Amino acid sequence: MSKKLDEYPIDFVITWVDGNDSEWKKEYNKYKGLDGDQAQTRFRDMDTLQYWFRGVEKYAPWVNKIYFVTCGQRPQWLNANNSKLICMDHKDFIPKEYLPTFSSHAIEMNLHRISGLSEHFVYFNDDTFIIDKVNPDTFFKKGLPRQAAVINYPVPMEEPLNLVPVVNTAVINKHFVKKEVMKKQIRKFYTLKYHKYVLKNIQFIMGKWFPGFKYFHQPAPFLKATYNEVWEKEYAKLHNTCMHKFRVLTDVNQWLIQDWQICKGEFEPQDTKIGYYGSIENNERLFRTIEAMKSKEYKLVCANDNGIEDFKLMKEELINVFEEIFPDKSKFEI
């Protein structure tokens, strides 16, 4: 799949929801009695979306198109006439039987259906930002997604247990044998690009099955062909996930597509130090994330709202640091 960049344009896809929107709340209230993850942290807006666009314009001007995916919402400041921007409503690409949906899993598992989307695309949550210069080969090399193939046991960190990584891995083990995968891709599993994490691959060298993969919570590069293959081979599992109105702990999610790319060998190793994952659950984690953003050590950062009580403080502090990094409006803003 080695090709020149202009032979495979790279699109960005970003999903966003404004949980304060009154029309959205009306629709949400119709279904909130159903099972699933309805934590407000899934839907509250940090008011930092404009800085995502500023980061793209400043540090990734080569992007082909940006698909902005919502349930029909538009920030008042968004310049929808920007030639690179395509606003997508869920109903534009997600099958009717899955709508409306309040589950990021359902949205993620249907991204490949977006009309006009490039075969090579990068998926961003709205809390993952570009904060330094990136090139196309930051995300794709030789036409393949760049990922870190790090084996890891899923670690229970909350109650009830999030079984999504376990379910993903069960699907992977149904279709792939770890020993065979690692033997074929030995150079990609044992590389210094993974730094200390290469030790995990050494630790888990034995055993027939994958215990799981480590997820770095960074922008995810994908091939649409992989989505199509997984849907073809695991339709029932993906269909059931998409039928849930809210995230369910036994769903699969887009990590399954990443794992599949790894096991097929359709990836190139990514440096694990390219990005920082900030799981912001308290003030200490908040300020640690802010220091990482200021450090100039990372090109990518995830500032994840993980249930911090002082949400107002988090918004204020993040906006302050983003204003330092991106003081000027982008052409994506009115």
Side-chain angles (χ1 to χ4, degrees), residues 226-253:
T226 312
Y227 265 86
N228 287 323
E229 181 177 356
V230 178
W231 266 97
E232 178 184 350
K233 295 190 175 182
E234 285 290 340
Y235 174 83
K237 183 70 69 176
L238 273 60
H239 170 74
N240 289 337
T241 290
C242 295
M243 288 297 290
H244 297 146
K245 293 300 181 187
F246 298 92
R247 290 165 54 142
V248 173
L249 298 176
T250 53
D251 284 345
V252 294
N253 69 354

Side-chain angles (χ1 to χ4, degrees), residues 201-213:
N201 289 347
I202 296 172
Q203 176 186 358
F204 294 114
I205 193 171
M206 303 301 292
K208 184 178 180 180
W209 310 112
F210 287 103
F213 288 93

Side-chain angles (χ1 to χ4, degrees), residues 16 31 85 109 159 188 258 308 328:
W16 179 76
Y31 297 94
L85 180 64
M109 299 315 296
E159 285 285 351
K188 295 182 179 182
Q258 294 185 60
I308 187 172
D328 301 319

